[in-house]
Amino acid sequence: MVDIFIFMALPYTSLLIMIIGSIFMYRLQAFKISALSTQLLESKQLYFGSQFMHWGIITLFFGHLLGFLIPQSIIVWNGDALRLLVLEGTALVFGIMFFSGLCILIYRRITNKKLHSLTSDMDFIVYAVLLTQAISGIWIAIALPWGSSWFASVLSPYLKSLFVLQPDIAAVSAMPLVVKIHISTAFILIGLIPFSRFMHFLVFPFQYVFRAYQVVIWNRNKSTIRNSTAINPEVKAKNN
Amino acid sequence: MVLLKFLIKRNYNYLLLGLIIVTFHQNAFCQDAESIFKKSCASCHSIGGGKLIGPDLQGITYKRESDWLVKFIKNSQSFISSGDVDAVAIGKEYNNSIMPPATISDVEINSVLAFIESKGAAGPKKKKVDYLLKATDENVIKGYRLFTGKDQFINGGSACIACHNVTNVGNGGWLAKDLTMSYNTMKGEGIKALLSSPAFPAMTNAYSNNIMEETEIYNLAAYLRSTATFKVPSNLYEPKSYSKFYFLGFSGFLFLAILFFAGWFFRKKQSVNHEIFKRQLRTEKK
């Protein structure tokens, strides 16, 4: 019964919430949607956390997508022991990267008080879901090798059965608990998209990777800042 | 025919229609039960073909009550743990091999039992010929190559190594059972039956569209017999490679982390007038 809920009801519910919720948010709340950047408040920890986390999750997302779209090619690729090690090793690299980036971001969010004004409860739900994903994913990679092969041959047919509206949950129900947790949190993540920072998935910020420096114009009195007496009162600058 | 003529004469059309439906339904029901048996039971049981992974089911309905059978088929594990004496004895006889819980309804279970009953009571035991009687080292090597994925299955199924491990293989999977000693419980016929129509849900998903060829099944069974009887040719022993996987994962991460640290070092971190502002502060300190 629990399996029917998690693997049959949850994916469709999440997908519906994602589609209807996103349309609703764009149509009615467009100007209220924001990922609330905190780069101007703290940038060093953000650089490491964000870079690690994003490169990790993007690579892993496309890795999972390939396993779903071309399972036969993945099975053939994994036929050679070295190629299998390269694929699984690469997945582990980005898994660890995603996990460590996420840890940095959570640490930053909790310890840096400046960020608290831009933090909502939903952010912590998002962190909890992502952290569960990261830990269960690394656990699977290490404790249940070789995920790339059995995902392609066992779970890919399950995902396909969802898309053709004939869900076959027999195989996924027989999976170990950690795999079930990994799959179910992925579905929850899809359902959270319209109501959290995940909304930025839908605007495809590809240009972030290649974009030029952004011109930031400060809305404050520059002359006050230029005047060094504001920093060292009573002492006048000698070079201008 | 007399009944048919009577029904037509009296214009009992609905009754006639009902009779036709029931007749066709009975035929469909028979075919259905047989296909259910082939799909869900034949991988471990035969009807009159002898013991495979589980017992030969010919005459089982004469031996046990139908309620008892339905309970056992629905969830043998919970039935055994409930303490039923016969169920516990059967569990022990078959080394507590797990029979997966049935994914079919009570009606379908009963139809399968009726199908088994239609095959008659158990006859005298036939002498069995060993399935792997003529297996050679060549079959073992071919089986090993299929197991590890060095050779592809003709119909494109995933290599066994994705989920299973055996001792001589360098990087076996850990998702499903270790198959090193599987031959001892299943024997050649059991392995053949299981691989011909896999009953375990994960295997069904993996191989339902990529059925293994008979020669492939034979070679795999030969290989699994060699692992259980410690007769694997010495050139098939591989060093374990899990440590390489962990090393690759963690060293790869460290390498990328260093790249990102270098990225931070070369990153433009301050605004363009930062230097001017800094120069002013330096002057003041003098």
Side-chain angles (χ1 to χ4, degrees):
Chain A
M1 195 64 196
V2 177
D3 287 333
I4 291 176
F5 171 73
I6 294 174
F7 301 117
M8 223 184 259
L10 188 61
Y12 289 122
T13 315
S14 297
L15 208 62
L16 271 180
I17 291 176
M18 195 270 270
I19 294 168
I20 296 171
S22 303
I23 293 169
F24 172 80
M25 294 297 264
Y26 268 117
R27 300 275 299 179
L28 299 175
Q29 310 243 316
F31 292 104
K32 290 185 187 171
I33 301 170
S34 169
L36 293 174
S37 170
T38 53
Q39 192 175 8
L40 293 175
L41 301 176
E42 197 288 324
S43 65
K44 188 174 183 179
Q45 286 174 347
L46 179 73
Y47 167 79
F48 288 106
S50 180
Q51 292 278 350
F52 279 24
M53 198 273 277
H54 280 97
W55 282 110
I57 200 169
I58 289 167
T59 316
L60 290 172
F61 171 75
F62 282 106
H64 283 70
L65 193 67
L66 281 181
F68 170 59
L69 292 176
I70 48 166
Q72 208 52 45
S73 309
I74 300 286
I75 289 167
V76 173
W77 171 273
N78 284 349
D80 183 76
L82 181 66
R83 291 200 302 244
L84 171 75
L85 276 181
V86 169
L87 180 64
E88 287 281 335
T90 311
L92 185 59
V93 167
F94 287 99
I96 299 169
M97 211 162 151
F98 170 49
F99 174 68
S100 47
L102 192 63
C103 288
I104 295 171
L105 289 180
I106 294 173
Y107 172 80
R108 170 180 177 269
R109 180 74 55 179
I110 293 171
T111 55
N112 197 327
K113 285 184 181 170
K114 279 187 210 166
L115 310 183
H116 289 186
S117 56
L118 291 173
T119 305
S120 67
D121 292 344
M122 185 50 93
D123 291 338
F124 286 103
I125 295 173
V126 165
Y127 284 141
V129 170
L130 288 178
L131 204 58
T132 316
Q133 280 279 289
I135 293 170
S136 58
I138 293 173
W139 187 337
I140 290 167
I142 291 175
L144 299 171
W146 307 105
S148 57
S149 286
W150 56 252
F151 175 84
S153 58
V154 179
L155 294 181
S156 181
Y158 158 66
L159 290 176
K160 270 182 195 155
S161 77
L162 285 180
F163 278 98
V164 296
L165 303 178
Q166 287 174 335
D168 175 9
I169 64 165
V172 76
S173 305
M175 284 283 146
L177 182 66
V178 64
V179 179
K180 289 182 178 180
I181 292 173
H182 193 69
I183 297 171
S184 52
T185 43
F187 291 141
I188 293 172
L189 192 151
I190 293 171
L192 285 178
I193 288 176
F195 315 109
S196 62
R197 286 166 194 268
F198 284 145
M199 196 72 174
H200 76 278
F201 289 171
L202 304 177
V203 289
F204 305 120
F206 288 142
Q207 73 276 21
Y208 269 45
V209 183
F210 310 103
R211 73 156 197 219
Y213 293 119
Q214 211 166 34
V215 180
V216 176
I217 298 169
W218 294 86
N219 184 20
R220 61 193 187 197
N221 190 344
K222 292 281 273 186
S223 62
T224 321
I225 296 165
R226 295 259 307 142
N227 184 357
S228 60
T229 53
I231 292 130
N232 298 307
E234 309 292 321
V235 183
K236 201 177 174 193
K238 288 171 186 166
N239 64 341
N240 63 348
Chain B
M1 278 312 281
V2 177
L3 178 70
L4 204 65
K5 277 179 186 171
F6 172 77
L7 290 173
I8 294 168
K9 199 175 168 186
R10 293 286 181 118
N11 210 13
Y12 288 153
N13 291 338
Y14 287 108
L15 207 59
L16 186 65
L17 191 66
L19 197 68
I20 291 167
I21 288 172
V22 167
T23 314
F24 276 96
H25 181 72
Q26 283 293 323
N27 286 337
F29 154 82
C30 286
Q31 283 170 8
D32 214 21
E34 189 174 355
S35 63
I36 292 170
F37 181 85
K38 277 184 185 163
K39 194 180 155 202
S40 307
C41 319
S43 50
C44 301
H45 301 281
S46 74
I47 306 173
K51 198 165 111 176
L52 298 174
I53 300 166
D56 184 340
L57 296 179
Q58 189 161 40
I60 192 73
T61 50
Y62 298 96
K63 206 173 161 187
R64 307 260 175 218
E65 289 292 321
S66 130
D67 283 354
W68 189 94
L69 285 169
V70 172
K71 274 185 197 166
F72 194 92
I73 294 166
K74 279 177 93 171
N75 195 335
S76 64
Q77 288 303 300
S78 63
F79 194 37
I80 289 170
S81 42
S82 75
D84 183 274
V85 182
D86 290 343
V88 171
I90 290 171
K92 273 187 189 160
E93 191 185 338
Y94 289 89
N95 302 318
N96 292 320
S97 304
I98 295 169
M99 176 169 141
T103 50
I104 53 177
S105 67
D106 284 12
V107 178
E108 285 170 319
I109 292 174
N110 281 315
S111 73
V112 170
L113 289 176
F115 169 70
I116 294 169
E117 193 165 324
S118 72
K119 297 285 175 182
K125 282 187 180 175
K126 292 170 197 164
K127 202 182 172 192
K128 279 168 78 175
V129 182
D130 182 8
Y131 171 60
L132 294 170
L133 190 67
K134 292 177 185 167
T136 60
D137 269 3
E138 196 188 336
N139 295 110
V140 173
I141 292 167
K142 281 182 181 168
Y144 157 80
R145 293 187 66 81
L146 286 169
F147 189 95
T148 51
K150 288 182 171 64
D151 288 342
Q152 293 291 309
F153 285 105
I154 293 168
N155 296 323
S158 173
C160 316
I161 207 175
C163 304
H164 298 284
N165 186 37
V166 287
T167 43
N168 71 301
V169 160
N171 53 353
W174 299 341
L175 180 74
K177 267 197 149 186
D178 186 306
L179 297 181
T180 311
M181 307 307 277
S182 59
Y183 175 82
N184 289 345
T185 48
M186 298 203 283
K187 302 295 176 204
E189 291 79 4
I191 295 172
K192 181 191 172 194
L194 184 69
L195 296 182
S196 303
S197 61
F200 297 103
M203 279 187 78
T204 312
N205 254 21
Y207 297 103
S208 56
N209 295 323
N210 319 293
I211 299 159
M212 291 182 202
E213 296 286 315
E214 249 182 60
T215 49
E216 292 171 334
I217 293 172
Y218 190 79
N219 292 334
L220 281 172
Y223 171 59
L224 289 176
R225 183 178 68 175
S226 76
T227 61
T229 51
F230 307 104
K231 285 178 184 163
V232 179
S234 56
N235 58 332
L236 299 188
Y237 276 89
E238 301 169 354
K240 295 285 172 203
S241 57
Y242 300 109
S243 53
K244 283 182 196 163
F245 165 58
Y246 304 137
F247 176 76
L248 198 65
F250 287 98
S251 59
F253 167 69
L254 278 179
F255 173 73
L256 284 181
I258 290 168
L259 282 187
F260 278 107
F261 271 97
W264 173 255
F265 185 74
F266 292 110
R267 191 180 167 93
K268 184 170 172 54
K269 293 185 274 287
Q270 276 90 23
S271 60
V272 282
N273 56 8
H274 178 80
E275 282 304 312
I276 301 166
F277 189 57
K278 198 107 190 241
R279 196 166 70 227
Q280 287 181 338
L281 295 180
R282 264 202 303 271
T283 314
E284 285 309 315
K285 276 173 193 165
K286 282 175 192 172

